[in-house]
Amino acid sequence: MTKAVIFDIDGTLADLTHRLHHIRNGSHNWDGFFPACGNDSVIEPIRDLAVLIAQAGQPGGPGVGGSRGPNLAKIGAEPGHTAEYLAAYIRDPRSAKPGAKLMPAFGDKLSDAQIQELAEWLAAKK
């Protein structure tokens, strides 16, 4: 069986904020929205996470475990999930949730700056 990790592009890997004006306030200008995607910038902490996960399957890559992690699209919306909580969870899920068997710890795989940036991005997803 081939394993895969799927990341949404619009708004997850690619920053689409510069083209949202095409579809806000009742506008449905898809002819303007989609062609502008070539100007999207990458959302760095998510790209770093995608690269880390991709490398995990390579010889010598980081071991990220085989368990299924939390739904990161919703984790920032949970009550009490501040950027500080999320940073601790990303570093080591068991430190924030004892006995957790959800996702691997990334404290030894991501820098503190990467963890903080990812945690702040997730916390803003309310």
Side-chain angles (χ1 to χ4, degrees):
M1 172 193 286
T2 301
K3 294 182 180 182
V5 177
I6 299 170
F7 285 84
D8 180 52
I9 295 186
D10 281 347
T12 303
L13 281 171
D15 184 354
L16 54 81
T17 55
H18 70 95
R19 56 188 169 108
L20 286 176
H21 66 278
H22 292 292
I23 59 169
R24 280 201 172 135
N25 301 322
S27 176
H28 292 60
N29 179 7
W30 299 112
D31 290 336
F33 180 79
F34 288 117
C37 71
N39 296 321
D40 290 358
S41 59
V42 68
I43 298 174
E44 301 287 335
I46 301 303
R47 190 237 13 232
D48 294 345
L49 181 60
V51 168
L52 179 69
I53 291 170
Q55 291 172 342
Q58 302 301 317
V64 296
S67 61
R68 184 173 179 200
N71 182 343
L72 294 181
K74 297 178 183 175
I75 195 168
E78 294 290 326
H81 286 196
T82 63
E84 292 77 22
Y85 172 90
L86 293 167
Y89 194 93
I90 293 164
R91 279 186 191 90
D92 180 8
R94 287 168 189 81
S95 71
K97 192 173 182 180
K101 292 184 178 180
L102 298 174
M103 73 177 214
F106 286 92
D108 62 341
K109 296 166 184 68
L110 297 172
S111 70
D112 282 339
Q114 288 172 315
I115 290 172
Q116 192 61 38
E117 189 176 359
L118 177 58
E120 289 171 9
W121 185 83
L122 290 168
K125 297 294 172 194
K126 303 245 183 255

